[in-house]
């Protein structure tokens, strides 16, 4: 996977203004000089994980990235943390299912029966 790093400084050079945009450049995804999508691309660049594991991992990362910045109240912010936990639970389920399927495949190849 190819990773493109777009810092806010570079984006500023590409854009006429530094205004946040709810669709293409939301403020709650832009922190520390990097957007969440770029951090996730770097995080996942060399990961050899099944598609659904990558999906849930990315969802969890998104919620963890933005929780302190999205929502006007503590309960709204806590909701993003709960969403992250749910995504990590699904990520673990997907990974566990993948490992079980791989083990069953190997067992079938060597003639073992469950």
């Amino acid at each position: 996977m190819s990773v493109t790093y777009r810092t806010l400084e570079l984006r500023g050079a590409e854009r006429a203004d530094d205004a946040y945009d709810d669709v293409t450049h939301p403020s709650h995804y832009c922190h520390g000089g990097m957007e969440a999508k770029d951090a996730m691309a770097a995080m996942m660049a060399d990961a050899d994980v099944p598609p659904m594991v990558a999906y849930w991992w990315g969802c969890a990362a998104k919620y963890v990235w933005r929780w302190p910045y999205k929502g006007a109240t503590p309960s709204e912010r806590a909701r993003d943390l709960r969403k992250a936990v749910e995504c990590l639970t699904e990520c673990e389920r997907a990974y566990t299912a993948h490992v079980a399927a791989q083990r069953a495949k190997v067992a079938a190849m060597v003639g073992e029966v469950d």
Side-chain angles (χ1 to χ4, degrees):
M1 174 189 319
S2 170
V3 178
T4 302
Y5 298 94
R6 290 178 301 236
T7 65
L8 292 181
E9 293 78 22
L10 286 176
R11 286 190 68 92
E14 295 169 2
R15 297 167 54 98
D17 61 343
D18 271 342
Y20 293 114
D21 175 307
D22 284 344
V23 175
T24 61
H25 192 58
S27 63
H28 56 272
Y29 284 128
C30 304
H31 299 284
M34 182 180 281
E35 284 192 39
K37 62 185 174 184
D38 298 320
M40 288 190 305
M43 174 180 75
M44 296 176 156
D46 298 320
D48 183 19
V49 296
M52 287 310 297
V53 173
Y55 170 78
W56 288 114
W57 179 23
C59 288
K62 170 187 74 166
Y63 288 119
V64 169
W65 184 276
R66 77 179 192 189
W67 79 267
Y69 311 106
K70 187 169 186 226
T73 66
S75 66
E76 289 174 337
R77 291 181 179 142
R79 183 176 52 221
D80 269 3
L81 291 174
R82 290 191 305 276
K83 289 178 182 179
V85 169
E86 178 65 21
C87 291
L88 287 173
T89 298
E90 292 299 324
C91 183
E92 179 187 19
R93 286 182 187 149
Y95 182 71
T96 301
H98 170 75
V99 169
Q102 293 296 89
R103 287 182 176 157
K105 186 177 180 179
V106 169
M109 289 172 44
V110 297
E112 295 179 12
V113 178
D114 288 340

